[in-house]
């Protein structure tokens, strides 16, 4: 099969066998005749299925339980796995400036219906940083035409706070786990991403960012605006950063500096209650005072 997709400003072609079709949320980013003009792809991924993975070549520049990254000149390749499983399920290899090949292990194809398992095949963060875009771990809601992004480590309460805003303020969750941050018409916007975690809420929408809310659990609700210096390490910890690529790493930090120069970041120590919503709303209103 041969399809065109667009995530943020990155347009790419995906060639894959039917048995390795993308999951439902990924298909929301397809650009077909029924969704307006089809843009010209700038990159192509070829996916194939095999009984075994190719032997990787190059220098190992990063290694963790679920990923080994190798470098061969300016090109990158990756052995991709899942935490808790010692065997890799895919091999990603850049074969030209505009093309990558992905080999899948045949007996692991059933796992591809899981959003991050499929999306990890394509090293999309590597393409997005070249588009001046970053992936933020957050619950992304729309409220009165603007995006509020609840960010924090897993199990802190991002989805809970997003649900409270839906209940008490009539907001709408766009993505329960990720957002792509990029500029549109000079303003930072939250854009769609094909991974939504356990929330199962994933929409392909782009909305200007009102604020980022860094969460922590507390016995009382307190909100305060953070300085860019205070916010930087917290935001950095929730952004996908390839530390093994010095150029991309530096560029990510430059983008973060630009982002923090124009988007307010609020720290919210919160309970699971309507009072948490009231507290944050008051802090947001003070931004306009």
């Amino acid at each position: 099969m041969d399809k065109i997709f667009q995530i943020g400003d990155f347009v790419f072609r995906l060639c894959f066998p039917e048995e390795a079709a993308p999951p439902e949320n990924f298909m929301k980013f397809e650009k077909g005749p029924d969704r307006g003009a089809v843009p010209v792809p700038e990159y192509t991924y070829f996916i194939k299925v095999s009984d075994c993975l190719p032997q990787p070549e190059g220098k190992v520049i990063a290694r963790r339980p679920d990923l080994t990254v190798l470098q061969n000149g300016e090109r990158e390749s990756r052995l991709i796995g899942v935490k808790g499983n010692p065997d890799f399920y895919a091999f990603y290899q850049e074969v030209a400036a505009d093309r990558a090949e992905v080999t899948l292990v045949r007996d692991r194809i059933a796992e591809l219906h899981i959003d991050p398992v499929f999306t990890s095949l394509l090293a999309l963060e590597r393409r997005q940083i070249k588009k001046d875009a970053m992936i933020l771990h957050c619950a992304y809601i729309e409220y009165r035409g603007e995006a509020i992004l609840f960010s924090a480590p897993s199990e802190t309460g991002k989805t809970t706070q997003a649900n409270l805003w839906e209940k008490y303020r009539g907001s709408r969750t766009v993505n329960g786990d990720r957002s792509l941050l990029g500029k549109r018409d000079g303003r930072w916007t939250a854009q769609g991403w094909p991974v939504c975690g356990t929330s199962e809420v994933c929409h392909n929408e782009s909305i200007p960012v009102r604020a980022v809310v860094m969460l922590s659990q507390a016995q009382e609700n307190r909100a305060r605006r953070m300085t860019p210096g205070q916010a930087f390490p917290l935001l950095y910890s929730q952004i996908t950063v390839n530390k093994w690529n010095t150029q991309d790493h530096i560029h990510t930090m430059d983008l973060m500096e630009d982002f923090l120069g124009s988007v307010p970041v609020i720290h919210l120590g919160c309970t699971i209650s309507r009072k948490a919503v009231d507290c944050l709303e008051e802090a947001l209103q003070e931004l306009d005072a």
Side-chain angles (χ1 to χ4, degrees), residues 62-268:
R63 193 191 300 274
R64 65 189 194 204
D66 61 337
L67 181 70
T68 298
V69 183
L70 303 97
Q71 188 175 43
N72 194 340
E74 294 185 357
R75 296 174 187 169
E76 191 173 287
S77 58
R78 301 180 179 186
L79 285 165
I80 306 167
V82 176
K83 290 181 180 179
N85 189 323
D87 299 321
F88 296 109
Y89 69 89
F91 179 64
Y92 160 92
Q93 182 179 25
E94 295 167 359
V95 296
D98 61 352
R99 187 169 71 256
E101 295 179 353
V102 179
T103 304
L104 300 173
V105 176
R106 191 179 307 279
D107 62 7
R108 300 283 296 277
I109 290 178
E111 299 174 38
L112 295 181
H113 75 281
I114 303 172
D115 293 342
V117 172
F118 185 89
T119 305
S120 294
L121 298 175
L122 309 179
L124 289 172
E125 80 289 342
R126 185 160 161 78
R127 310 275 86 81
Q128 292 295 346
I129 194 64
K130 299 183 187 308
K131 295 291 185 180
D132 298 334
M134 308 175 288
I135 306 159
L136 177 65
H137 181 214
C138 65
Y140 162 19
I141 71 168
E142 180 271 328
Y143 179 62
R144 295 182 177 177
E146 294 182 304
I148 299 173
L149 309 178
F150 293 101
S151 186
S154 297
E155 308 302 324
T156 302
K158 298 182 299 297
T159 301
T160 299
Q161 293 300 316
N163 290 341
L164 288 172
W165 271 74
E166 285 194 0
K167 181 177 180 179
Y168 295 115
R169 293 296 185 274
S171 69
R172 180 175 58 91
T173 298
V174 180
N175 189 302
D177 194 61
R178 292 286 192 279
S179 172
L180 180 67
L181 302 178
K183 277 190 170 180
R184 293 281 171 87
D185 299 322
R187 183 175 178 183
W188 282 97
T189 63
Q191 301 169 30
W193 191 252
V195 175
C196 60
T198 57
S199 73
E200 300 184 358
V201 180
C202 177
H203 300 290
N204 182 10
E205 298 181 26
S206 178
I207 302 172
V209 179
R210 177 70 181 93
V212 175
V213 181
M214 304 303 302
L215 297 173
S216 65
Q217 297 176 352
Q219 294 182 341
E220 296 182 359
N221 297 294
R222 293 185 179 178
R224 63 179 176 87
R225 182 170 183 176
M226 307 179 76
T227 67
Q230 293 169 334
F232 191 97
L234 295 179
L235 189 69
Y236 178 88
S237 69
Q238 299 306 314
I239 284 180
T240 302
V241 182
N242 291 343
K243 297 180 182 179
W244 58 81
N245 186 310
T246 302
Q247 183 178 355
D248 287 354
H249 191 188
I250 292 173
H251 189 40
T252 301
M253 291 190 289
D254 288 341
L255 290 174
M256 288 178 57
E257 184 177 355
D258 184 278
F259 181 86
L260 291 171
S262 57
V263 177
V265 177
I266 295 172
H267 177 263
L268 177 66

